[in-house]
């Protein structure tokens, strides 16, 4: 059984995900989105984090589990990618320079309203940003960093 490296944490590949692959693909794509490609394509995930190691590592882990994951190192480039093709998921750090994660996903949701959002944070200051977004009617999942890949995969299911 192979090990993946996530920071200093060795990670055993999750076999449950491979067994439930077809369920994950159908659950990841909203029925109202472009249905013409859904049977054949992998769920698309934009991984946004200003820490390149985190964005690159999470993208590589997700690719091993049959996701079309692409790393982005700032909100602006992730928004541009969403304009080109709407993602099924956005996985974003909250605290980033220029555009923070909440601002980034709000702009992506204006373009792609059916995109699911999962925010990651290792910073206690995110509570104010999330409270403001919730008060405006936005709902996001928030996961603590560092995150174990098995936990991340469960939230994508």
């Amino acid at each position: 059984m192979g090990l993946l490296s996530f920071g200093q944490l060795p990670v055993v590949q999750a076999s449950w995900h491979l067994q439930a692959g077809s369920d994950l693909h159908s659950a990841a794509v909203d029925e109202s989105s472009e249905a013409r490609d859904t049977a054949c394509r992998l769920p698309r995930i934009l991984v946004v984090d200003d820490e390149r190691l985190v964005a690159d590592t999470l993208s590589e882990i997700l690719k091993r589990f049959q996701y079309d994951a692409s790393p982005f190192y700032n909100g602006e480039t992730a928004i541009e990618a969403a304009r080109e093709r709407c993602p099924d998921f956005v996985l974003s750090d909250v605290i980033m320079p220029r555009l923070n994660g909440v601002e980034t996903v709000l702009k992506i949701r204006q373009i792609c309203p059916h995109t699911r959002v999962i925010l990651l944070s290792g910073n206690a200051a995110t509570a104010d940003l999330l409270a403001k977004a919730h008060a405006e009617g936005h709902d996001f999942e928030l996961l603590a960093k560092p995150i174990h890949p098995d936990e991340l995969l469960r939230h994508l299911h």
Side-chain angles (χ1 to χ4, degrees), residues 20-134:
S22 61
D23 292 339
L24 287 172
H25 292 288
S26 61
V29 179
D30 190 281
E31 290 177 9
S32 64
S33 68
E34 301 172 47
R36 60 179 163 23
D37 300 321
T38 57
C40 300
R41 72 176 179 88
L42 301 176
R44 183 166 190 239
I45 302 178
L46 307 184
V47 180
V48 189
D49 200 309
D50 58 312
E51 292 183 53
R52 288 177 177 263
L53 179 63
V54 173
D56 291 342
T57 302
L58 287 174
S59 293
E60 287 304 312
I61 289 169
L62 291 168
K63 285 176 187 177
R64 288 181 181 232
F65 290 97
Q66 305 304 307
Y67 287 94
D68 175 12
S70 301
F72 295 90
Y73 311 119
N74 60 63
E76 293 89 348
T77 57
I79 293 166
E80 288 305 313
R83 281 192 180 109
E84 291 175 19
R85 193 172 116 222
C86 284
D88 298 297
F89 297 93
V90 175
L91 178 62
S92 180
D93 186 17
V94 176
I95 305 298
M96 295 186 295
R98 296 191 306 248
L99 277 182
N100 67 50
V102 173
E103 294 166 329
T104 298
V105 299
L106 290 177
K107 289 182 185 228
I108 290 173
R109 277 237 179 117
Q110 287 175 347
I111 303 162
C112 308
H114 299 291
T115 296
R116 280 188 52 200
V117 171
I118 298 175
L119 296 172
L120 299 172
S121 182
N123 189 322
T126 62
D128 291 338
L129 291 171
L130 290 176
K132 181 180 176 191
H134 282 236

